[in-house]
Amino acid sequence: MMDPVTFYEQHLSGWMGPVIVYRAVGKYSPAELRRWLTAADRGQVLTVLVGAASGRQPVMTRLAEAYRLYAGLERRPRLGGVLIAERHVVTGAEHHRMQDKQAAGCEFFVSQVCYDLDHTRTVLSDYAYACRDRGIAPRPTVVTLAPCGSAKTLEFMSWLGIDVPRWLRTEILRSDDPLTESYDQCRTNARALIAFCRRLGLPFGINVESLTNRKVEIEASIGLAHEIRCLLDRRAR
Amino acid sequence: MMDPVTFYEQHLSGWMGPVIVYRAVGKYSPAELRRWLTAADRGQVLTVLVGAASGRQPVMTRLAEAYRLYAGLERRPRLGGVLIAERHVVTGAEHHRMQDKQAAGCEFFVSQVCYDLDHTRTVLSDYAYACRDRGIAPRPTVVTLAPCGSAKTLEFMSWLGIDVPRWLRTEILRSDDPLTESYDQCRTNARALIAFCRRLGLPFGINVESLTNRKVEIEASIGLAHEIRCLLDRRAR
């Protein structure tokens, strides 16, 4: 797989907007990480440091080590953290983890792909109220949505650890048009999340991804991003 | 607590519509149950036989025994069964239980109070598809909604085993107006359930209850029932 930095340097040179570069820190030595962080264009680049997917994976730099390294730099891009609602179901502590990351310099959060709306609302709620109770401002939190066009993509989502309510799994698997099923649910979830975050007073954003390189899923994700842009504009007025 | 039959006989004598009388079968001997079932006015009365809330409760008649007794009667009211989405989360087998009850004479189902929309959709989906796969017609399924006006009612709901997503628990507990919070969510869930059951081709109804005898909760449940009636009429056209 191409390194995100290579992709950014070779294929996005004409792009003038902000760029978020994910760094799977385990793949780099501390020296490599430090070099890239120090050299990154702070006017355009933000970064999200990501830990290993499992404890068994061999790593060159641990996430805690990368955060310490980041904290010691004078020149560095703005930092974001990952938020996983599924982990919150198990530990009930993801909101504490977010606050720790915030204390370590995170200025925003990006969620894993959301299909279980209640799990996502619960972690956002726990985070927002924990910030309120401690008198600190919550950081902008970006929830990720992604259409799912096939049983194969659904399988990949399970492998990624994304919770999908069973009724929706069934609809996607049984439907003649799984992409439309999942697309409709992503739009419904976007509506609910926009209303929820606004009521909660939590600064938020919505990120739309394609989980695969299938053309229909990429096009659906572009369509979904446009629709959500309209939802956000309409309700903001 | 007043026996439902006493309430029906003493306070609903002027009511001409159908009546569903719940029978907690463990409280009666087989002879008492048989006597009431045989005497019930089949033109007006439907019944739901309910088992003990826990295995430790001493019972005069077990649910399986009550179903066998019912099956042997010549004169008997129409029968409905209880459906518990929360049990489905643990066992994954509530839809099989529904099909067994259907084979034993159940002509409809009524759910426990629904606050976890995904859990409810999952059991309805599993039931509808299981019926489709076996070529049998699904029975009408009535989903129960009930507004919750206070922390005390929420506590009672936990005691009843009703799953409430944590973000919603938090909103109810933190809100200055918990009744409106829960009412809004009940209406949102009603909308989602109506659309879901129609797409699924599952015959359905919605039952609105008050969980307590508090006047504000009773009035809210009446208001909710009216609103849901309008939703059903509007979308049916």
Side-chain angles (χ1 to χ4, degrees):
Chain A
M1 205 166 73
M2 186 182 282
D3 191 282
V5 167
T6 309
F7 183 81
Y8 166 54
E9 288 171 354
Q10 293 182 359
H11 299 280
L12 288 176
S13 53
W15 173 254
M16 292 294 128
V19 169
I20 300 179
V21 179
Y22 283 65
R23 306 270 71 190
V25 298
K27 287 164 58 184
Y28 312 99
S29 70
E32 283 173 300
L33 270 178
R34 180 181 296 110
R35 201 176 314 128
W36 181 77
L37 287 165
T38 307
D41 174 358
R42 289 172 302 164
Q44 184 176 32
V45 172
L46 302 88
T47 191
V48 173
L49 303 177
V50 185
S54 88
R56 281 161 300 171
Q57 216 167 306
V59 298
M60 294 173 73
T61 308
R62 305 204 153 275
L63 187 59
E65 202 177 342
Y67 268 101
R68 274 195 301 275
L69 184 156
Y70 174 88
L73 296 178
E74 248 176 65
R75 277 185 57 89
R76 57 190 190 186
R78 299 178 82 166
L79 181 68
V82 167
L83 135 71
I84 300 183
E86 285 78 358
R87 192 157 56 191
H88 195 54
V89 175
V90 180
T91 66
E94 189 70 3
H95 58 309
H96 295 314
R97 207 176 155 106
M98 290 168 76
Q99 290 190 314
D100 291 345
K101 286 180 175 173
Q102 188 169 341
C106 276
E107 297 185 63
F108 65 95
F109 296 98
V110 185
S111 84
Q112 175 165 261
V113 170
C114 158
Y115 266 92
D116 194 309
L117 183 61
D118 280 329
H119 290 172
T120 299
R121 283 192 287 208
T122 288
V123 68
L124 296 180
S125 163
D126 287 349
Y127 173 62
Y129 282 108
C131 287
R132 200 176 297 181
D133 291 345
R134 289 170 63 176
I136 60 177
R139 296 297 184 183
T141 300
V142 178
V143 180
T144 301
L145 301 175
C148 165
S150 71
K152 216 173 145 184
T153 303
L154 191 62
E155 203 182 312
F156 178 54
M157 283 162 57
S158 294
W159 181 84
L160 287 171
I162 298 164
D163 283 348
V164 180
R166 190 158 80 239
W167 68 267
L168 183 57
R169 289 185 64 83
T170 303
E171 290 304 312
I172 290 171
L173 291 172
R174 295 237 184 187
S175 173
D176 295 331
D177 186 0
L179 190 62
T180 299
E181 283 295 336
S182 79
Y183 186 102
D184 289 352
Q185 197 55 39
C186 287
R187 186 176 40 205
T188 299
N189 288 349
R191 277 211 187 89
L193 286 164
I194 291 169
F196 182 73
C197 291
R198 286 188 176 155
R199 274 185 83 179
L200 202 56
L202 181 69
F204 72 101
I206 295 185
N207 167 41
V208 180
E209 291 183 359
S210 176
L211 284 160
T212 70
N213 60 4
R214 287 181 59 212
K215 192 159 181 284
V216 288
E217 288 182 350
I218 292 171
E219 281 170 358
S221 69
I222 294 169
L224 182 62
H226 281 303
E227 274 207 78
I228 291 173
R229 176 74 271 161
C230 293
L231 285 177
L232 287 165
D233 290 342
R234 195 167 62 209
R235 302 211 183 177
R237 282 201 297 255
Chain B
M1 204 167 73
M2 185 182 284
D3 191 281
V5 167
T6 310
F7 183 82
Y8 166 55
E9 287 171 355
Q10 293 182 359
H11 300 281
L12 286 177
S13 52
W15 171 257
M16 292 294 126
V19 169
I20 299 179
V21 179
Y22 282 67
R23 306 272 70 192
V25 300
K27 288 165 55 183
Y28 312 100
S29 70
E32 283 173 299
L33 269 178
R34 181 181 296 110
R35 202 176 311 127
W36 180 77
L37 286 166
T38 307
D41 176 357
R42 290 171 302 165
Q44 185 176 32
V45 172
L46 302 89
T47 191
V48 172
L49 304 177
V50 185
S54 89
R56 282 160 299 172
Q57 214 167 306
V59 298
M60 295 174 71
T61 308
R62 305 204 153 275
L63 187 60
E65 202 178 344
Y67 266 101
R68 274 195 301 275
L69 184 157
Y70 174 89
L73 297 177
E74 250 176 64
R75 277 184 58 88
R76 58 191 189 185
R78 299 178 84 166
L79 181 67
V82 168
L83 136 72
I84 300 183
E86 284 79 357
R87 193 157 55 191
H88 195 54
V89 175
V90 180
T91 66
E94 190 71 3
H95 58 310
H96 296 313
R97 209 177 154 106
M98 290 169 77
Q99 290 190 314
D100 290 346
K101 286 181 176 174
Q102 187 170 340
C106 276
E107 297 185 64
F108 64 96
F109 295 97
V110 185
S111 84
Q112 176 164 261
V113 170
C114 158
Y115 266 93
D116 193 309
L117 183 61
D118 280 330
H119 291 172
T120 299
R121 283 192 286 208
T122 289
V123 68
L124 296 180
S125 163
D126 286 349
Y127 173 63
Y129 281 108
C131 287
R132 198 176 298 180
D133 291 345
R134 289 170 61 175
I136 60 177
R139 297 296 184 185
T141 299
V142 178
V143 180
T144 301
L145 301 175
C148 165
S150 71
K152 216 173 147 184
T153 303
L154 191 63
E155 203 183 311
F156 178 53
M157 283 162 55
S158 293
W159 181 84
L160 287 171
I162 298 165
D163 283 347
V164 181
R166 189 157 83 237
W167 67 267
L168 183 57
R169 290 186 64 84
T170 302
E171 289 304 312
I172 290 172
L173 291 171
R174 296 239 184 184
S175 172
D176 295 332
D177 185 1
L179 190 61
T180 299
E181 284 293 336
S182 78
Y183 186 101
D184 288 352
Q185 196 56 37
C186 286
R187 187 177 39 205
T188 298
N189 288 348
R191 277 211 188 90
L193 286 164
I194 291 168
F196 183 73
C197 290
R198 286 188 177 156
R199 272 185 86 179
L200 203 56
L202 181 69
F204 72 100
I206 295 183
N207 167 43
V208 181
E209 290 183 0
S210 176
L211 284 162
T212 70
N213 60 5
R214 286 182 59 212
K215 193 159 181 286
V216 287
E217 287 183 351
I218 292 171
E219 281 170 359
S221 68
I222 294 169
L224 181 62
H226 281 303
E227 272 207 80
I228 291 174
R229 175 77 269 161
C230 293
L231 286 178
L232 287 165
D233 289 343
R234 194 167 61 206
R235 301 211 184 178
R237 282 202 297 255

